Amino acid sequence: MHAHPALHLSWRVVVTTVGVVVIVAGLAMMVAPGPGAASVILGLFILSTEFHWAHRLLRPARTWFRRAERYGNRVREELLRRLRARRALRKGLASPEPD
């Protein structure tokens, strides 16, 4: 695609159109119900395949995603720890069954 000038230009037009449509849909979903922020980031990801400025805009989003992922993992581990503690407590409080 990138070797032939005509194909390269048409490819960039298609990528730009799809990326802009996804971003506009994401902006509309910011007001209406839907995954607005995720759609805007997806649109920027699509545009970043062809444009360096979009790639630079995605850097803070990647940082935010990694922080959110670490936070989610910490919360999950804490919830699992609490669940296991409750189960162990229930097993410890249950009356022994007669043999």
Side-chain angles (χ1 to χ4, degrees), residues 1-61:
M1 290 294 229
H2 296 288
H4 196 277
L7 291 177
H8 179 68
L9 179 62
S10 62
W11 179 253
R12 283 188 91 149
V13 168
V14 169
V15 168
T16 303
T17 304
V18 170
V20 168
V21 166
V22 172
I23 288 175
V24 168
L27 292 175
M29 284 187 270
M30 294 275 192
V31 179
S39 297
V40 170
I41 291 172
L42 178 64
L44 282 174
F45 178 74
I46 292 169
L47 289 174
S48 73
T49 61
E50 290 296 318
F51 300 104
H52 187 65
W53 60 265
H55 186 75
R56 283 193 320 261
L57 282 176
L58 276 178
R59 285 184 188 150

Side-chain angles (χ1 to χ4, degrees), residues 84-97:
R84 289 181 189 124
R86 278 191 212 141
R87 285 183 182 167
L89 186 62
R90 272 192 229 145
K91 285 183 181 180
L93 289 180
S95 61
E97 296 184 14

Side-chain angles (χ1 to χ4, degrees), residues 64-78:
W64 175 82
F65 176 76
R66 288 184 184 120
R67 286 180 186 163
E69 184 180 27
R70 285 193 303 264
Y71 175 74
N73 286 335
R74 281 195 316 264
V75 168
R76 186 188 71 205
E77 290 301 320
E78 177 64 22

